[in-house]
Amino acid sequence: AQSVTQLDSQVPVFEEAPVELRCNYSSSVSVYLFWYVQYPNQGLQLLLKYLSGSTLVKGINGFEAEFNKSQTSFHLRKPSVHISDTAEYFCAVSDTFGFGNEKLTFGTGTRLTIIP
Amino acid sequence: NAGVTQTPKFRVLKTGQSMTLLCAQDMNHEYMYWYRQDPGMGLRLIHYSVGEGTTAKGEVPDGYNVSRLKKQNFLLGLESAAPSQTSVYFCASSYHPSGGVGNYNEQFFGPGTRLTVL
């Protein structure tokens, strides 16, 4: 069974500072990794995904993440945050990709708060 | 395109009451999902459907039933609500993952239904 650990439940960051949100996963098979963002009072939307190929993945709104197989991590980064980045961020993993039942296992989320 | 819509947005029930949450999507997606979101627990899959007329259990199915009579609709029912079912419920949909790396099909989420059971 797969699992996802988001080590920080809350991360406060000053505006224009860099941020890293941490995500570690465990799985006995090959995995596919995702970051979703949830803005206040909204549903989730896909920020970026890693399926294969380059381990550095770029997403929307200037975010990027790096897949590190040896450390089983998929940390999310942004070099300079904006007030509009205030949201909750979820890391997710799937190991049933493309075989009929695509199911995601989500982490517990990290609430990113941008301080003006 | 409205995308994924959920009805109602808010609801308060008393213990033992029943209700149905409606999810509708206009993207012609084959797959639909119901999740619940609880503080500190992320999203957990309740039930899902891979096509009209088919449903399957997810991670936390107890106390819930679902139906997919039409491709565009996925209903979540609570027959006898309990306080433990107080949560925010999200519906999502996606195209059938056609297999092979690079063919992942993104899940699109609705805005959620906030349910309180007293």
Side-chain angles (χ1 to χ4, degrees):
Chain A
Q2 61 212 11
S3 65
V4 177
T5 301
Q6 292 184 244
L7 298 167
D8 305 300
S9 59
Q10 297 189 61
V11 174
V13 180
F14 284 104
E15 193 172 14
E16 297 183 5
V19 67
E20 178 180 84
L21 305 184
R22 296 180 293 170
C23 173
N24 288 86
Y25 67 92
S26 66
S27 176
S28 58
V29 299
S30 296
V31 293
Y32 306 94
L33 295 154
F34 312 89
W35 276 98
Y36 279 81
V37 60
Q38 182 180 29
Y39 297 106
N41 299 314
Q42 294 186 27
L44 280 71
Q45 66 180 86
L46 184 65
L47 200 56
L48 49 79
K49 61 183 182 284
Y50 170 79
L51 303 180
S52 69
S54 173
T55 57
L56 183 63
V57 179
K58 294 190 184 297
I60 61 173
N61 300 338
F63 283 94
E64 63 181 32
E66 185 156 20
F67 171 56
N68 188 319
K69 188 174 182 178
S70 63
Q71 296 187 4
T72 60
S73 67
F74 190 54
H75 300 333
L76 181 70
R77 302 186 183 100
K78 186 170 182 178
S80 176
V81 295
H82 188 265
I83 289 286
S84 59
D85 294 323
T86 294
E88 188 144 20
Y89 293 80
F90 292 93
C91 184
V93 63
S94 168
D95 68 2
T96 58
F97 169 79
F99 291 96
N101 297 332
E102 174 222 313
K103 290 183 281 186
L104 296 173
T105 298
F106 285 87
T108 53
T110 297
R111 185 172 299 276
L112 177 62
T113 302
I114 308 304
I115 305 165
Chain B
N1 277 356
V4 180
T5 57
Q6 294 182 230
T7 309
K9 289 185 170 51
F10 303 93
R11 186 72 185 267
V12 178
L13 290 179
K14 294 181 180 178
T15 297
Q17 287 184 318
S18 64
M19 78 161 295
T20 300
L21 306 183
L22 171 63
C23 175
Q25 52 94 5
D26 61 2
M27 297 175 282
N28 203 32
H29 286 170
E30 290 86 358
Y31 278 40
M32 297 187 76
Y33 314 79
W34 275 108
Y35 294 90
R36 58 177 290 173
Q37 182 181 30
D38 302 294
M41 303 191 72
L43 275 76
R44 293 179 292 168
L45 184 64
I46 304 172
H47 286 280
Y48 64 99
S49 167
V50 301
E52 183 178 322
T54 67
T55 63
K57 294 180 180 180
E59 183 185 351
V60 288
D62 294 341
Y64 305 95
N65 56 75
V66 288
S67 64
R68 183 100 181 267
L69 298 179
K70 293 182 178 181
K71 186 177 183 179
Q72 63 267 32
N73 295 337
F74 194 29
L75 280 68
L76 178 71
L78 287 72
E79 289 187 350
S80 179
S84 61
Q85 294 177 304
T86 293
S87 187
V88 181
Y89 291 86
F90 287 100
C91 176
S93 69
S94 71
Y95 285 112
H96 185 292
S98 53
V101 174
N103 288 327
Y104 168 76
N105 287 314
E106 176 185 348
Q107 291 188 26
F108 290 85
F109 284 79
T113 294
R114 187 173 295 274
L115 176 66
T116 302
V117 183
L118 302 175

